[in-house]
Amino acid sequence: MSATATKDGGSVTITLNGTNKSLTIPLIDGTIGPSVFDIRKLYNELGVFTYDPGYGGTAACESKITYIDGDVGVLLHRGYPIEQLAEKSSFLEVSYLLLNGELPDKAQKAEFERGVMMHTMLHEQLRRFYDGFRRDAHPMAVMCGVVGAMSAFYHDSLDINDPDHRRISAFRLIAKMPTIAAWAYKYSIGQPFMYPRNDLSYAENFLYMMNAVPAEDYKVSPVLARAMDRIFILHADHEQNASTSTVRLSGSTGANPFACIAAGIASLWGPAHGGANEAVLKMLAEIGHKDNIPAFLAGVKDKNGHNRLMGFGHRVYKNYDPRAKIMQASCHEVLKELGHQDDPLLELAMELEKIALHDEYFVSRKLYPNVDFYSGIILKAMGFPTSMFTVLFAVARTVGWISQWKEMIEDPSQRIGRPRQVYTGATQRDYIALDKRA
Ligand code: SDX
């Protein structure tokens, strides 16, 4: 079959050759960024689909939350640049912004922070879920299990069409993720769980639950708390990435928010996505010394190899990920605070970045460091085991997931997500009895 397309101004008309079928497809403009061809009538009018494995060229929804310009390395949350938010805001204030669309005034900020901190504790029976895991279970497995199980504890907020249920679910998820994550870590090292402290800030409270023990007082370093809060801000939301799209697709069926966030956690776990920060540390350990960088990069460039330069490349950013720059600056600050300013891992990572950014293979493919390249180095210096890196990503991204989920539920045009396919399998054929098969 063939077709002819003719473009006129803000639309394109496609005609299937040899038929009287044609469709004029309008071009819709956003406030900034690429326009979109609205192809919703394409199948009904022309009986054809578009083909876009991985959805690299497909806008799956309309959104007002986050804007990325991958060519110039811009990231805006509700119009505010990530650089300004990372420097001047706090994670809970950014959470309010993502959820509500505007920065809060003083009263709104205080009320939101109180609302979140009032939900930091877990139902006592959820504690028992941890005992069902092996001590060496990957903490992301624990996160999937415990967050999914929250659906069984909050029957009072599962009606996704009730705005109050959506609001309380958002508070519960944002508030409880640090507790669930810290308890997953404590369980893995056989230490008692630390209950949340609502007199501490969000990031302080998380570091407290991660590091304190009942036997003595624990004071959270203000520099580390600030660094943790900034890392949460940098991971809060990122447009329609794989895990956010998973949450949206799950939510489009009417599944409850806890089940949807558990699906997002599962999707984030992959090394091509949120698991990359853990993979970067493993890669740096494998390289070991800067003298080994050329051989490692040769392996990455080898078509028959399977190694990738983890923490590099991005589906959208074809320039420096702005989060990576902020993360690198934060790296130096944290390592200095911890007295590790000569951390060999950071030196190796910076040498690797310098060589890669001058290597034609990476330059020609526009492969730059992404948010995961430096985050692992900071987190390791702060004492987190590598298995907790993606867990921290999930803690921060929960507000992005729930904000995107809320936007989808409140979008009057939203319907169940159901992609189609191009079928290249067998045409219809009759069943062959076992004794007749070759
Ligand atoms: C995150 O989507 C988001 O916004 C995600 C995220 C968020 O905040 O939610 O930003 C978080 O997931 C960041 C990405 C973390 N992942 C990694 O660091 C893993 C390593 N990077 C890649 O595997 C890769 O770059 C992806 C998955 C991130 C993007 O892959 P694409 O867009 O599908 O690119 P591709 O696989 O089609 O690669 C294009 C070319 C290929 O070479 P050719 O076949 O053209 O010869 O670039 C090469 C790839 O082999 N390539 C790499 C590479 N990434 C791409 N080669 C070496 N090392 C890499 N890291």
Side-chain angles (χ1 to χ4, degrees), residues 354-391:
K354 191 172 75 177
I355 295 173
L357 291 181
H358 291 87
D359 183 308
E360 188 276 335
Y361 174 93
F362 298 96
V363 175
S364 64
R365 290 169 177 79
K366 298 185 177 179
L367 301 174
Y368 291 87
N370 58 51
V371 67
D372 293 302
F373 190 66
Y374 284 104
S375 60
I377 297 167
I378 300 183
L379 296 174
K380 182 175 186 298
M382 292 172 74
F384 293 104
T386 48
S387 60
M388 282 294 289
F389 292 0
T390 311
V391 173

Side-chain angles (χ1 to χ4, degrees), residues 238 241 271-273 276 300 303 308-315 323 361-362 365 367 370 372 393 397:
H238 210 243
N241 57 84
H273 189 13
V300 168
K303 268 295 164 211
R308 284 203 161 182
L309 180 51
M310 301 310 280
F312 258 65
H314 198 278
R315 174 62 57 81
R323 301 169 297 174
Y361 174 93
F362 298 96
R365 290 169 177 79
L367 301 174
N370 58 51
D372 293 302
F393 198 146
R397 186 54 57 89

Side-chain angles (χ1 to χ4, degrees), residues 168-184:
I168 182 74
S169 296
F171 273 128
R172 281 176 168 146
L173 281 158
I174 295 166
K176 297 178 194 305
M177 282 296 275
T179 309
I180 295 169
W183 286 10

